[in-house]
Amino acid sequence: MNMNRETALRELSQGSPDLQRRAARVLGRWADDQVLSALIGALQSPHRAIREAATDTLLEIGDARTVRLLLPLLRSSVPAVRNSARLLLQGLAKAAPEILIDLSRDPDVRMRIFAANIMTESGDHDLAEPLLDMLNDADENVRDAAVVGLGRLGAPEAIHRLEAFATEGGSWTRFSAIDALSQIPSSEATRALVRLLKTVPAELQEPVVEALGRQGAPEAIASLLQKLFEAPSLGAAIIPVLSQMPASEVVDRLSAVDRPYLAAAISERLQENGQSPEVTAGSLELLGKLGVQVAGSIFIRWLANPQRRIQQAAIRAVHRLGLGELVPMLRQLQSQGDPLLAGEIQAAIDGIALSGKERA
Amino acid sequence: MNILSKVVLLVDDSQTVRRMIEWVLKPSGFRILHAADGIHALEVLRAEKVDLAFVDLNMPRMDGIELIRSVRSDKKLQQLPIILLTTENRNEDREAALQAGANLFLTKPSSPAMLRSTAESILGVSASAATEGRKVQP
């Protein structure tokens, strides 16, 4: 569409919603102060399409002047306007970080929360330092927003502060600190979570276990196993996490004495409903690798499961455990002719026959 | 209705906040669904039977007020109980939320016990019923 600067400015203020939207995009060719002000004004339009067009153009212009002009919109009484400004500032944070740092010291708590949210979503690790400063804020919601941000930025320099936050203060911030630690890809963060597993009160132990699960670091396995033995009620949280770890890593960390205990805990979970396919398949793999004899009946429903990954894991477990009583069911599965299962079924039948465990 | 069939939708652009509320509600045994903004929430609401929604105010694409207005103007969804949960504590936000049709306006950080008891109260279940509900989970 051909619009000159003046026409576009006029259409943006007076045109139909569709013309306003198109004018907002066209104005990206000029980035003078009048155009910027007009686009900022369009962010307050009741029409989402116009706000989005103005947002896209302002992001393309993206300089410190835009950031400065956007800040007053964060104080708007209209949530949609505040959110448009916040989204834009997230995209422009790198253009003027000093303005955001000023905002993090604003007397208005809401502005400080916005500052933390914008720094968080900017994805710019250079903003971890001002977020660390915000951990000293007098307001709990500001501290909480900074905690969340440090996790999202994966800031390893925050680990010790986050660990401290997880052990003191209100429930929101403690939970946020645990969640933040789970997002920092470092073994020091894993070690912090492992320490927390021993020190947090009972109601926060499950979130710590789940945080360790999200990290997926094998170095947490020994502590998770120890916690499972100490507090069997946490099995519903710990077993799914262990089932997503490399099974051989879990088995290697268990003494022969402890293997039957874990096998029993996994078997119990496999008899319940509500686990995801990933967790079910992982649990079956782990159960097979443990090599502890369990009742063959546990596997019947999983061999018949419609999800192939679960069936495959069940077949491998039956094979490893040499469960001869399930060979007839394996043969029945074989007769269904699924080419993707055929090899594993045959290997299981042959393996069990070789071990002499097939039921006559 | 069995408590286990009660469904709660958590609408917040912060995954941490959604996880936090899910953790708070876990003892009640509700089925929990997540949405990251108002538009995503409407998609979920049109696809699933939801009994209660916790909604944040400031979200990208569609904020909490706009979501509540959309729900209240939709004949199939308009009876949905909605709790607006936000860090914004200005009276004008509270009034806008209630005027748009929010059933309750709560500010963060709300105590976990209060959030849970509020959800149970709105859904007509007691904590003991919730515990019983969990016990019968197959």
Side-chain angles (χ1 to χ4, degrees):
Chain A
M1 180 188 194
N2 272 329
M3 275 195 213
N4 63 30
R5 178 181 173 282
E6 282 63 39
T7 306
L9 280 170
R10 188 177 60 249
E11 295 295 3
L12 184 60
S13 65
Q14 298 167 11
S16 65
D18 187 51
L19 272 173
Q20 286 185 55
R21 180 185 60 77
R22 287 192 289 182
R25 293 301 287 135
V26 167
L27 281 168
R29 293 184 211 152
W30 305 276
D32 56 77
D33 288 351
Q34 190 184 2
V35 165
L36 279 181
S37 296
L39 288 167
I40 299 276
L43 292 176
Q44 303 180 57
S45 165
H47 300 281
R48 188 185 307 131
I50 296 170
R51 293 199 304 269
E52 286 175 355
T55 299
D56 290 344
T57 305
L58 285 165
L59 277 172
E60 285 162 16
I61 295 171
D63 59 17
R65 286 176 308 154
T66 314
V67 174
R68 210 169 284 285
L69 287 167
L70 283 167
L71 286 181
L73 299 190
L74 290 175
R75 299 177 201 274
S76 166
S77 60
V78 182
V81 174
R82 298 197 294 259
N83 288 317
S84 292
R86 186 180 70 151
L87 281 179
L88 263 165
L89 287 164
Q90 285 166 197
L92 299 173
K94 286 177 186 166
E98 68 285 353
I99 297 176
L100 288 180
I101 293 168
D102 285 348
L103 191 67
S104 74
R105 297 169 187 146
D106 194 282
D108 185 340
V109 167
R110 295 174 312 129
M111 294 306 112
R112 303 204 298 278
I113 293 172
F114 273 132
N117 292 158
I118 291 163
M119 290 177 189
T120 298
E121 298 301 329
S122 73
D124 183 357
H125 184 265
D126 288 348
L127 292 170
E129 197 174 323
L131 282 169
L132 274 168
D133 290 340
M134 294 178 84
L135 293 178
N136 300 319
D137 197 284
D139 184 88
E140 183 176 353
N141 283 323
V142 177
R143 294 194 302 273
D144 187 69
V147 163
V148 170
L150 288 161
R152 284 293 295 278
L153 294 181
E157 62 270 48
I159 290 170
H160 294 296
R161 298 289 307 276
L162 293 174
E163 187 178 354
F165 269 88
T167 55
E168 57 198 35
S171 300
W172 282 89
T173 306
R174 296 181 78 169
F175 184 93
S176 296
I178 291 165
D179 196 73
L181 283 167
S182 80
Q183 296 176 63
I184 298 176
S186 98
S187 52
E188 183 52 38
T190 304
R191 286 195 287 276
L193 285 167
V194 164
R195 285 191 292 273
L196 289 170
L197 194 55
K198 295 172 187 157
T199 55
V200 295
E203 72 269 19
L204 280 166
Q205 287 184 353
E206 199 171 305
V208 174
V209 169
E210 288 170 357
L212 283 166
R214 283 194 292 280
Q215 275 209 328
E219 67 182 282
I221 291 171
S223 300
L224 287 166
L225 287 167
Q226 190 184 343
K227 182 53 87 177
L228 177 66
F229 300 147
E230 286 169 13
S233 62
L234 280 173
I238 293 176
I239 298 293
V241 171
L242 291 175
S243 76
Q244 298 305 291
M245 300 279 189
S248 53
E249 299 257 14
V250 177
V251 175
D252 289 349
R253 285 170 170 81
L254 273 169
S255 69
V257 177
D258 288 332
R259 287 182 192 189
Y261 182 87
L262 181 59
I266 295 171
S267 301
E268 189 180 332
R269 295 289 302 155
L270 282 170
Q271 290 175 78
E272 295 171 1
N273 292 327
Q275 295 194 123
S276 70
E278 295 79 18
V279 168
T280 301
S283 297
L284 289 163
E285 295 281 3
L286 182 52
L287 193 54
K289 287 232 166 128
L290 281 169
V292 174
Q293 283 303 306
V294 292
S297 57
I298 292 167
F299 297 94
I300 291 173
R301 63 187 292 209
W302 304 119
L303 286 169
N305 193 276
Q307 297 219 30
R308 191 176 283 120
R309 63 192 302 187
I310 290 177
Q311 280 185 305
Q312 287 172 321
I315 293 165
R316 284 194 288 271
V318 168
H319 182 181
R320 288 197 182 102
L321 297 176
L323 295 170
E325 71 266 36
L326 291 176
V327 169
M329 189 166 179
L330 290 174
R331 290 195 194 284
Q332 193 185 340
L333 267 181
Q334 195 175 35
S335 70
Q336 290 169 9
D338 185 335
L340 292 170
L341 295 180
E344 284 185 295
I345 294 174
Q346 192 58 53
I349 291 171
D350 293 345
I352 293 170
L354 273 175
S355 67
K357 289 181 176 173
E358 185 174 4
R359 181 169 289 174
Chain B
M1 183 186 276
N2 187 312
I3 183 169
L4 293 171
S5 59
K6 299 279 188 188
V7 178
V8 179
L9 174 63
L10 311 179
V11 192
D12 199 305
D13 55 336
S14 165
Q15 192 179 43
T16 301
V17 171
R18 298 199 306 271
R19 281 190 193 131
M20 163 84 181
I21 304 173
E22 182 167 11
W23 167 64
V24 165
L25 296 181
K26 200 165 191 178
S28 301
F30 305 128
R31 188 160 82 90
I32 304 291
L33 303 176
H34 291 229
D37 58 50
I39 290 177
H40 186 194
L42 281 176
E43 288 167 5
V44 174
L45 288 168
R46 285 169 183 149
E48 301 261 359
K49 164 88 174 68
V50 173
D51 300 291
L52 170 66
F54 281 88
V55 173
D56 184 24
L57 180 57
N58 291 318
M59 293 183 290
R61 300 209 296 167
M62 182 188 281
D63 61 76
I65 302 281
E66 206 178 339
L67 170 61
I68 295 168
R69 287 197 188 113
S70 296
V71 168
R72 295 296 177 239
S73 63
D74 185 319
K75 281 184 183 170
K76 288 183 182 165
L77 303 176
Q78 61 189 190
Q79 298 302 320
L80 174 72
I82 298 178
I83 299 173
L84 202 134
L85 181 62
T86 176
T87 54
E88 300 274 4
N89 56 6
R90 291 184 307 181
N91 278 336
E92 59 190 285
D93 286 318
R94 181 185 299 271
E95 282 164 19
L98 296 175
Q99 202 166 26
N103 298 78
L104 205 55
F105 182 98
L106 298 176
T107 52
K108 298 172 191 169
S110 301
S111 88
M114 194 272 277
L115 278 184
R116 189 162 50 241
S117 64
T118 301
E120 288 175 352
S121 164
I122 287 175
L123 292 175
V125 295
S126 67
S128 57
T131 307
E132 285 306 307
R134 277 204 318 286
K135 282 178 186 168
V136 298
Q137 171 115 32

